[in-house]
Amino acid sequence: MTDVALVAWFELFRAVRTWRAVALLVLYGVASAGAAYLFAEFIGLLENAMADQLGVARTETPGAMMSDLLDSQQLIEVLTAMTGSGDLARQLLDIPLPALFFLWLGFLLVPFFAASASAECIATDTRTRAIRFELLRTSRIELVLGRFVGQLLLTALASATSAVVMWGVTMWAMTGVPAGALAGWLAYYALRTWAFAVPFVGVGVATSQLTTSSAWARVMAIGATAGSWVAYGFARWLEDDRAPVVADLLLQLLPQGWIRDMWSPGAGWLASAVACGALGLGALAVGYLRFHRRDL
């Protein structure tokens, strides 16, 4: 475990030294800023449509009619589409809407960012043979686990940066959103998006163990991430009285199958986080089956 921690620490500081960490933080920040602004504009459109229905003056700043919007059927329909459950959508009405949007956005984008960023952590050093110098001091399993933990730390920093940017843009673009409550929920949901990203970091590190090309590893990682969403849609299709047993098995093996509990406002998401951690280690093990026998 000491070797794993040292390799993870080295991976983190190497990412800082080579500006990969800065690039990743900027990528997360720009995506969050753009998404927060577009969400504020969307809320403004909903409020203006409601104002037209009520025969009152339109609002200039999104959020001015937040209390009326929370009571509208339109918002329930939007939250139902985001969470996949009407009952769960009603439970989430007490949470600031930008925080809910942040969680939904994280479920969609963070897996691709995490898989892509972690896909080069081993492949590049394998190509240059620099990995041999580390393997003189530790074994392959500690090296792989250390790189995995290092990428998890980078993803955690990126998720935190994304939450901070989301808070800042929301405070600038909207009104009527409690700053303290929003900050608390964004921090809470950043932890959930990071937990959901763990399997995809595992996928990225797994593909990085299979090749010496960082570009090819990234393509495989992004392809596997996209394929998991296709498999999730297929599993949901099988659920409708077609092959429920097969659907249930697929949903247990896919990170997306644990999303619904991640939406829960209580502590029910912790079981899903543990499952995602197990799936991340499972993906890592698939790549290691090849890596531990490779001629480096």
Side-chain angles (χ1 to χ4, degrees):
M1 295 307 297
T2 301
D3 284 1
V4 171
L6 288 173
V7 173
W9 197 247
F10 172 75
E11 177 71 9
L12 182 62
F13 275 89
R14 184 175 65 165
V16 174
R17 186 179 68 250
T18 59
W19 295 89
R20 284 196 299 115
V22 175
L24 184 64
L25 296 181
V26 170
L27 178 63
Y28 271 66
V30 170
S32 297
Y37 180 76
L38 291 177
F39 179 73
E41 292 294 309
F42 174 70
I43 292 297
L45 291 176
L46 287 180
E47 291 180 339
N48 287 333
M50 184 180 300
D52 292 340
Q53 292 176 357
L54 298 175
V56 299
R58 290 191 167 201
T59 61
E60 294 183 1
T61 304
M65 297 180 63
M66 186 64 69
S67 59
D68 295 325
L69 183 61
L70 290 174
D71 295 330
S72 69
Q73 183 61 32
Q74 289 176 311
L75 180 61
I76 293 294
E77 293 174 357
V78 171
L79 291 179
T80 300
M82 290 170 63
T83 62
S85 170
D87 294 336
L88 181 57
R90 292 178 178 85
Q91 296 177 23
L92 299 176
L93 290 178
D94 294 332
I95 301 173
L97 292 182
L100 296 176
F101 174 73
F102 172 77
L103 182 61
W104 176 79
L105 182 72
F107 288 155
L108 291 181
L109 294 185
V110 171
F112 289 95
F113 290 163
S116 176
S118 59
E120 64 180 48
C121 66
I122 294 177
T124 301
D125 288 343
T126 304
R127 176 177 56 83
T128 62
R129 301 298 178 94
I131 200 170
R132 291 181 170 186
F133 293 97
E134 290 183 73
L135 291 177
L136 288 174
R137 296 165 175 84
T138 188
S139 65
R140 298 192 185 196
I141 185 63
E142 282 87 354
L143 178 84
V144 171
L145 287 174
R147 296 291 175 91
F148 177 62
V149 173
Q151 290 300 319
L152 288 179
L153 293 175
L154 284 174
T155 305
L157 288 175
S159 297
T161 300
S162 178
V164 171
V165 171
M166 178 70 72
W167 183 88
V169 174
T170 299
M171 290 294 98
W172 168 74
M174 295 183 65
T175 186
V177 180
L182 178 61
W185 280 105
L186 285 176
Y188 191 35
Y189 281 166
L191 184 59
R192 298 193 189 194
T193 57
W194 174 79
F196 184 70
V198 171
F200 301 98
V201 174
V203 168
V205 179
T207 60
S208 192
Q209 297 176 73
L210 302 177
T211 179
T212 59
S213 170
S214 58
W216 180 232
R218 188 175 294 109
V219 168
M220 288 192 293
I222 294 176
T225 302
S228 70
W229 285 101
V230 174
Y232 175 68
F234 179 66
R236 287 299 184 193
W237 178 76
L238 290 177
E239 234 181 355
D240 299 331
D241 298 327
R242 292 181 175 89
V245 176
V246 176
D248 184 64
L249 177 61
L250 281 176
L251 291 174
Q252 298 300 314
L253 296 176
L254 292 171
Q256 293 86 347
W258 301 90
I259 280 183
R260 185 162 295 179
D261 288 336
M262 287 281 192
W263 280 106
S264 173
W269 69 278
L270 292 174
S272 295
V274 172
C276 286
L279 291 175
L281 291 174
L284 196 72
V286 171
Y288 189 73
L289 290 175
R290 161 67 175 150
F291 183 75
H292 85 284
R293 291 184 295 180
R294 288 182 63 183
D295 181 7
L296 301 176

PDB file of all heavy atoms in Angstrom, residues 43 147 275:
ATOM      1  N   ILE A  43     -34.012  28.216 -17.717  1.00  0.00           N
ATOM      2  CA  ILE A  43     -34.923  28.598 -16.641  1.00  0.00           C
ATOM      3  C   ILE A  43     -35.635  29.899 -16.994  1.00  0.00           C
ATOM      4  O   ILE A  43     -36.835  30.072 -16.731  1.00  0.00           O
ATOM      5  CB  ILE A  43     -34.159  28.736 -15.311  1.00  0.00           C
ATOM      6  CG1 ILE A  43     -33.656  27.365 -14.842  1.00  0.00           C
ATOM      7  CG2 ILE A  43     -35.037  29.370 -14.230  1.00  0.00           C
ATOM      8  CD1 ILE A  43     -34.743  26.377 -14.531  1.00  0.00           C
ATOM      9  N   ARG A 147      -1.400   4.185 -10.336  1.00  0.00           N
ATOM     10  CA  ARG A 147      -1.856   5.056 -11.429  1.00  0.00           C
ATOM     11  C   ARG A 147      -3.373   5.252 -11.355  1.00  0.00           C
ATOM     12  O   ARG A 147      -3.887   6.340 -11.611  1.00  0.00           O
ATOM     13  CB  ARG A 147      -1.458   4.445 -12.772  1.00  0.00           C
ATOM     14  CG  ARG A 147       0.039   4.340 -13.004  1.00  0.00           C
ATOM     15  CD  ARG A 147       0.665   5.717 -13.189  1.00  0.00           C
ATOM     16  NE  ARG A 147       2.107   5.647 -13.294  1.00  0.00           N
ATOM     17  CZ  ARG A 147       2.774   5.517 -14.440  1.00  0.00           C
ATOM     18  NH1 ARG A 147       2.097   5.429 -15.572  1.00  0.00           N
ATOM     19  NH2 ARG A 147       4.088   5.487 -14.442  1.00  0.00           N
ATOM     20  N   ALA A 275     -20.859   0.022  -5.251  1.00  0.00           N
ATOM     21  CA  ALA A 275     -20.969  -0.792  -6.462  1.00  0.00           C
ATOM     22  C   ALA A 275     -20.123  -0.223  -7.588  1.00  0.00           C
ATOM     23  O   ALA A 275     -19.457  -0.963  -8.325  1.00  0.00           O
ATOM     24  CB  ALA A 275     -22.434  -0.885  -6.883  1.00  0.00           C
TER      25      ALA A 275
END
